Amino acid sequence: MGKVIGIDLGTTNSCVSIMEGGAAQIIPNKEGGRTTPSIVGFQEAGERLVGQIAKRQAATNAANTIYAVKRLIGRKLNSPEVRRMQDTAPYTITDSPNGDARIRLFGRDYSPSELSAIILQRLRQSAEEYLGESVEDAIITVPAYFDDAQRQATKDAGKIAGLNVLRILNEPTAAALAYGLGRETAEKIVVYDLGGGTFDISILEMHDNVFEVLSTSGDTFLGGEDFDLRVVDWIISEFQKETGIDLRNDRPALHRLKEAAERAKCELSSALETNINLPFIASDSLGPKHFNKVLTRQQFEDMILDLVEKSLEPCEKALWDAKLKPQDIDKVLLVGGQTRTPLVRQKVTEMFGKQPSAEINPDEVVAIGASIQGGMLSGEVKELVLLDVLPLSLGIETRGGLFTKIIDRNSSIPLKKALTFTTVADNQTTVEVHVLQGERELARGNRSLAKFELTDIPAGPRGSAQVLVSFDVDADGCVNVSAHDKATGREQNIRITPSSGLGPDEIARLIEEAVRNEQADRIMKKLILSRTRLDGLIESTRRTFSEFGAMLSEDDQTHARQAIARAELAYRSDEIDKLVQAFNELEAFGQKLTESMFAAPASAGMK
């Protein structure tokens, strides 16, 4: 079994995690964020945007930007919950022949599973880029109170995204796994999970690394989205009182209102009041209209009090089903971003008679728990130890994203090997050493082990510095990597202890993948090398021409400038033939320039 990722497919934000070395690691997205907004944007040209970039363009493309799709997954159009969304969402919700809810975009109906799959694909891509290998297996979490249709729809989303969904895991159970990993004490735990669109309460008993769910309850249509809507309704009401304009049917305005409401809600978690300022939110015959008012925490709490209290009834039911009383509970865990609201924490404290735990990050704990479950199924919770040989090659990333091997796979250990590298830019004073393991020609296709920097290299022309990169693998399979600047003697090193196992099946798969992608990798490598070679020739030719170009005729000088310009244009091309042609043309000019340089002194001597 390959790597198993754990995914929290959230209503507002999603998160992906992986087990490495017995510990769960949150995988950042392309923007560097640890969570990804569960938002998909469609543009007329057919481009799909996911996450933060989709959220940024939503104000100008509200009807084609989808958020909170988890609230629709596995639901019928005629359900009260979907009807409520139809009244507030800026996008169009319709139905399918079997009555399931659909979203219409540019004349086509998309199922919530299909839209969720787009988010899952982005999370999968982040994981593959982070791990340097393909990912197929996943654990996906769902609210504990999801029914069979919603669970199956979530599993379908995973299949559409190309994932083999090993298990659909309840979110509170995942949170309990994350909390309980490595703990030996017996505890009864309440997991109060109030996310963007759903609410769950689960009570679990933890003892001897066994997690037993005693009871669960919840509401699959209670969450942060409802809190946001209370603020949106307040803004609409206040604005209508002042201007007489009703914003409920203004889709672009509704999106701006929702965004402002969400921001205000978050600010009121730490502040006693917040200013909501929405310039040019509407206009009439008298001109543009603006909204600018202060919302206090007390006002906000008055708006949402019934929503918070709505979550307490399932808590009481879960206690009853578990045959427990509040005083029997040892720990209360808060999960989901909405639990940061002070009123929520206050009511939970009153309900269970104890302060909730702040040990875990409510936005990340579910994904972490899912990856722990994945690690259990795959065996990757066991620590990797390299024994008598290296199963995969070791090397570093070099210019253009290539993977340069320093130690080949199946080499006997212990051993030590080194190669000398140089700088790729003028006045470069820092070299990043990216250590990788794998068989692919391109760095992104291999496993990233570590990164470190060698600094304070003397500034100079590119190619002048000599940096010796050494790999030292001991008998235990631990790797020491060092970078040594030959000019200054400065050295930086890092010790890498492999953090997760590479079983025979995974090794075979990676090698097979390398063979399968060999042709594509070879073409990409040739493109990178051709571009690098042309870049070096452009730079050297430009310097030589600036110094000795005056020795050429005016026509030849013009041709030289044109050749350099054509080469610079070709450098941006992805066609190898154009790069080679530009290199040959520029090289021919370089020979002519060299001949002129040597001919000049000879001519001078004949006079």
Side-chain angles (χ1 to χ4, degrees):
M1 182 182 292
K3 290 289 187 183
V4 182
I5 55 175
I7 296 177
D8 173 14
L9 180 61
T11 305
T12 305
N13 294 292
S14 294
C15 188
V16 59
S17 178
I18 187 75
M19 285 297 293
E20 290 190 318
Q25 302 291 333
I26 295 296
I27 297 175
N29 56 31
K30 291 183 178 180
E31 294 81 21
R34 293 171 67 86
T35 61
T36 299
S38 302
I39 300 176
V40 180
F42 287 74
Q43 298 188 331
E44 286 191 36
E47 184 181 4
R48 297 177 179 180
L49 307 175
V50 183
Q52 193 62 45
I53 189 171
K55 188 175 183 178
R56 285 197 295 265
Q57 57 86 59
T60 56
N61 188 29
N64 302 302
T65 301
I66 314 305
Y67 60 85
V69 69
K70 182 178 178 179
R71 296 192 122 185
L72 296 173
I73 200 164
R75 293 189 187 273
K76 300 291 185 182
L77 181 67
N78 60 5
S79 67
E81 295 85 0
V82 175
R83 292 297 186 191
R84 280 163 55 189
M85 284 194 67
Q86 280 186 308
D87 293 337
T88 57
Y91 47 83
T92 301
I93 302 175
T94 182
D95 63 348
S96 65
N98 64 359
D100 290 341
R102 294 288 187 269
I103 296 175
R104 181 158 294 168
L105 300 162
F106 295 112
R108 178 189 162 186
D109 290 346
Y110 290 82
S111 71
S113 293
E114 188 176 2
L115 295 169
S116 296
I118 296 172
I119 300 169
L120 291 173
Q121 285 173 332
R122 176 54 57 88
L123 297 175
R124 178 186 179 185
Q125 290 170 6
S126 296
E128 289 177 337
E129 291 171 5
Y130 175 85
L131 296 168
E133 61 184 76
S134 64
V135 172
E136 296 179 356
D137 298 326
I139 307 293
I140 302 179
T141 63
V142 296
Y145 228 50
F146 255 22
D147 61 25
D148 185 68
Q150 291 168 308
R151 291 170 185 269
Q152 187 57 50
T154 303
K155 198 166 187 176
D156 289 344
K159 291 179 181 178
I160 296 169
L163 291 167
N164 176 30
V165 183
L166 299 178
R167 185 165 299 175
I168 293 292
L169 181 66
N170 288 340
E171 291 167 1
T173 304
L177 279 174
Y179 166 77
L181 183 65
R183 297 176 186 265
E184 298 180 357
T185 56
E187 291 181 305
K188 290 182 176 65
I189 306 168
V190 164
V191 181
Y192 179 101
D193 183 357
L194 184 60
T198 60
F199 169 69
D200 279 310
I201 174 71
S202 289
I203 301 176
L204 303 94
E205 186 170 11
M206 180 182 75
H207 56 88
D208 298 326
N209 289 325
V210 175
F211 297 84
E212 181 183 0
V213 179
L214 302 179
S215 66
T216 188
S217 187
D219 186 329
T220 58
F221 215 85
L222 173 64
E225 293 287 328
D226 302 298
F227 288 56
D228 295 345
L229 288 176
R230 293 296 171 87
V231 180
V232 169
D233 288 342
W234 175 78
I235 296 173
I236 290 174
S237 176
E238 293 295 310
F239 188 73
Q240 191 167 12
K241 287 178 186 176
E242 292 182 356
T243 66
I245 299 174
D246 187 352
L247 297 174
R248 287 180 177 84
N249 296 318
D250 187 335
R251 286 187 173 182
L254 278 176
H255 176 79
R256 289 183 63 191
L257 263 58
K258 184 183 182 303
E259 194 174 57
E262 182 181 356
R263 185 167 55 250
K265 176 188 70 177
C266 294
E267 290 174 356
L268 289 173
S269 294
S270 57
L272 294 178
E273 62 178 38
T274 183
N275 179 251
I276 301 177
N277 184 16
L278 293 165
F280 303 99
I281 194 64
S283 62
D284 59 15
S285 58
L286 300 177
K289 303 297 180 183
H290 319 289
F291 182 86
N292 189 358
K293 277 187 175 295
V294 170
L295 177 64
T296 68
R297 180 186 290 181
Q298 185 60 57
Q299 287 175 295
F300 176 61
E301 291 182 346
D302 290 341
M303 295 176 197
I304 64 169
L305 178 60
D306 65 312
L307 296 175
V308 179
E309 290 181 337
K310 190 178 179 182
S311 74
L312 301 182
E313 183 179 342
C315 294
E316 294 172 350
K317 184 176 184 298
L319 282 169
W320 174 265
D321 292 342
K323 297 179 174 58
L324 296 173
K325 297 179 180 179
Q327 56 265 34
D328 297 325
I329 302 301
D330 298 301
K331 187 79 68 173
V332 178
L333 304 181
L334 297 183
V335 178
Q338 198 57 57
T339 59
R340 290 189 171 90
T341 300
L343 183 63
V344 171
R345 291 176 176 266
Q346 175 191 329
K347 291 298 181 181
V348 170
T349 300
E350 294 172 359
M351 176 75 205
F352 294 100
K354 55 179 56 65
Q355 286 286 342
S357 171
E359 298 176 49
I360 53 179
N361 185 321
D363 295 324
E364 301 174 0
V365 64
V366 171
I368 288 173
S371 68
I372 292 172
Q373 176 69 70
M376 291 177 179
L377 295 179
S378 69
E380 291 195 12
V381 292
K382 298 177 182 178
E383 187 168 334
L384 169 68
V385 175
L386 296 177
L387 300 175
D388 54 346
V389 294
L390 287 176
L392 292 169
S393 301
L394 288 167
I396 66 171
E397 181 178 359
T398 52
R399 187 180 185 190
L402 299 179
F403 176 52
T404 300
K405 296 178 183 177
I406 295 180
I407 301 177
D408 290 330
R409 66 185 177 94
N410 291 326
S411 298
S412 298
I413 56 174
L415 80 161
K416 185 175 182 178
K417 195 171 182 181
L419 284 178
T420 299
F421 298 87
T422 188
T423 51
V424 297
D426 293 336
N427 300 316
Q428 183 177 342
T429 59
T430 300
V431 171
E432 182 186 76
V433 180
H434 183 193
V435 184
L436 300 143
Q437 186 178 35
E439 302 303 323
R440 297 288 297 275
E441 294 274 8
L442 305 180
R444 67 170 180 263
N446 300 298
R447 177 189 299 275
S448 175
L449 297 182
K451 290 183 181 180
F452 67 97
E453 289 186 342
L454 177 64
T455 59
D456 297 329
I457 297 173
R462 61 179 175 177
S464 60
Q466 298 290 304
V467 178
L468 182 70
V469 178
S470 302
F471 277 61
D472 187 357
V473 186
D474 65 22
D476 293 326
C478 297
V479 183
N480 282 286
V481 183
S482 65
H484 176 85
D485 178 23
K486 293 182 178 180
T488 64
R490 185 173 179 82
E491 184 171 304
Q492 181 68 37
N493 59 70
I494 188 169
R495 180 176 176 83
I496 303 169
T497 303
S499 57
S500 58
L502 286 175
D505 292 343
E506 186 177 4
I507 293 170
R509 181 182 62 76
L510 287 173
I511 294 172
E512 180 184 350
E513 180 181 318
V515 172
R516 189 170 61 250
N517 291 280
E518 185 176 2
Q519 181 63 25
D521 283 353
R522 189 182 296 115
I523 293 172
M524 181 58 70
K525 181 178 181 180
K526 186 175 180 181
L527 175 65
I528 292 170
L529 291 176
S530 297
R531 184 178 285 130
T532 300
R533 190 172 66 144
L534 178 59
D535 183 43
L537 184 60
I538 291 172
E539 185 64 26
S540 61
T541 303
R542 188 188 290 114
R543 288 179 178 175
T544 304
F545 180 68
S546 65
E547 188 171 351
F548 302 104
M551 298 179 178
L552 300 175
S553 67
E554 290 187 5
D555 285 345
D556 285 342
Q557 289 183 42
T558 300
H559 290 320
R561 294 187 184 95
Q562 291 173 346
I564 293 173
R566 284 194 293 271
E568 290 173 338
L569 182 62
Y571 175 78
R572 296 191 289 271
S573 172
D574 289 332
E575 297 180 29
I576 296 175
D577 290 343
K578 287 186 178 180
L579 293 167
V580 172
Q581 180 181 349
F583 180 88
N584 292 336
E585 182 182 359
L586 201 57
E587 188 178 43
F589 161 71
Q591 291 175 353
K592 187 171 185 178
L593 180 58
T594 301
E595 291 171 1
S596 299
M597 289 166 54
F598 282 105
S603 300
M606 293 173 61
K607 292 182 180 178

